[in-house]
Amino acid sequence: MQLRQHYSDSLKQLHQNILRMGTLVEEALEKALNALSNQDHQLAQRVIEEDARIDELQAQIEDQCALLIATEQPVASDLREIITAVKIVSNIERIGDHARHIARAVAKLSKPSLLATIPRFRKIAEVGIGMVHDALTAFVEQNPALAEEVAARDDQIDAMHEALFREIVEIMTQDSSAVEEGITMTLLARFMERLGDHVTNMCEWIVFAKRGKHIELNP
């Protein structure tokens, strides 16, 4: 019984660290979006520098998972949950990279016609941030139904991304001097589309952790 309590406490600590990492990534995305919207170069630089904290926490969580497997020798659902934790933090780290990419793009954008697309870009990112938050809730609560609902929102991101992409291409078509910055903006839009894919991957692993089978969500 005491051994099981020790494992339960260790798992709770693991969950807390994953939520902390997720919160750091959500905050990084918010800061990067604010930096982009306000052309705030100092805030952008802070996002870039703070990305190291996310990477460090990922390594710490992966070490925790390895130690749990080595010392507790979990099986069945317990083992699936730890494997899922490793997969989730990998996807969270990649989402953190997207925040860094947004921050780096702040210095590359100045065309008014392209800056005017940022509010629509921001709406895509906000949907993605909500997905990250709710996917982490689904993981901690072991709620596969919520994970499935979160993954379904990727369709919304895909539709918004396609509309924004068409708008940016139209701007570049009408103004050849906007091509270089337009390419930067299309890459940023693509990063947000990939954010939805990363969260969908997280949700698939959450379903696996609880139900013991791999399914493809939102194919």
Side-chain angles (χ1 to χ4, degrees):
M1 186 67 179
Q2 190 173 10
L3 290 175
R4 185 66 190 178
Q5 183 61 47
H6 178 267
Y7 174 75
S8 179
D9 291 343
S10 297
L11 202 60
K12 185 181 295 184
Q13 181 62 49
L14 178 64
H15 287 171
Q16 289 174 347
N17 282 340
I18 292 173
L19 288 176
R20 181 179 164 218
M21 184 179 176
T23 298
L24 287 177
V25 168
E26 289 177 37
E27 291 174 350
L29 285 168
E30 289 284 2
K31 289 177 184 176
L33 290 169
N34 288 335
L36 186 63
S37 298
N38 302 319
Q39 290 291 284
D40 188 333
H41 296 268
Q42 288 186 339
L43 181 57
Q45 184 59 36
R46 200 180 319 150
V47 172
I48 295 167
E49 292 170 355
E50 290 176 353
D51 184 62
R53 293 172 57 200
I54 296 171
D55 294 341
E56 289 169 2
L57 194 49
Q58 179 193 11
Q60 180 182 336
I61 292 168
E62 288 174 343
D63 287 347
Q64 276 184 281
C65 291
L67 185 61
L68 277 172
I69 292 172
T71 59
E72 304 293 342
Q73 299 181 339
V75 296
S77 62
D78 289 339
L79 180 58
R80 293 199 302 271
E81 186 170 5
I82 295 173
I83 292 172
T84 295
V86 174
K87 297 292 185 178
I88 282 178
V89 296
S90 175
N91 280 280
I92 294 174
E93 190 275 332
R94 290 172 187 168
I95 293 170
D97 286 344
H98 294 329
R100 189 180 74 242
H101 294 321
I102 295 170
R104 283 179 172 167
V106 171
K108 300 178 182 179
L109 295 170
S110 60
K111 284 277 185 183
S113 58
L114 290 166
L115 293 176
T117 68
I118 290 175
R120 285 174 286 286
F121 172 80
R122 185 175 190 122
K123 287 181 180 178
I124 302 174
E126 287 172 349
V127 173
I129 292 170
M131 289 176 68
V132 172
H133 184 87
D134 292 345
L136 290 170
T137 298
F139 171 66
V140 172
E141 295 180 354
Q142 297 185 46
N143 187 340
L146 176 57
E148 290 172 337
E149 185 275 319
V150 171
R153 297 182 212 166
D154 189 40
D155 285 339
Q156 184 181 356
I157 284 188
D158 289 343
M160 295 170 74
H161 166 258
E162 184 177 347
L164 178 59
F165 177 78
R166 289 199 301 267
E167 182 178 356
I168 296 168
V169 169
E170 181 64 23
I171 292 170
M172 290 190 292
T173 301
Q174 294 179 0
D175 180 6
S176 60
S177 69
V179 170
E180 185 174 352
E181 290 187 24
I183 291 172
T184 296
M185 201 66 208
T186 58
L187 287 174
L188 293 186
R190 174 60 176 161
F191 290 144
M192 290 304 95
E193 191 272 335
R194 287 294 297 146
L195 187 158
D197 292 342
H198 290 315
V199 178
T200 298
N201 289 340
M202 290 165 60
C203 291
E204 289 174 351
W205 281 100
I206 291 165
V207 172
F208 168 74
K210 188 64 177 178
R211 298 178 180 165
K213 60 181 180 180
H214 290 286
I215 64 170
E216 185 176 1
L217 297 177
N218 205 33

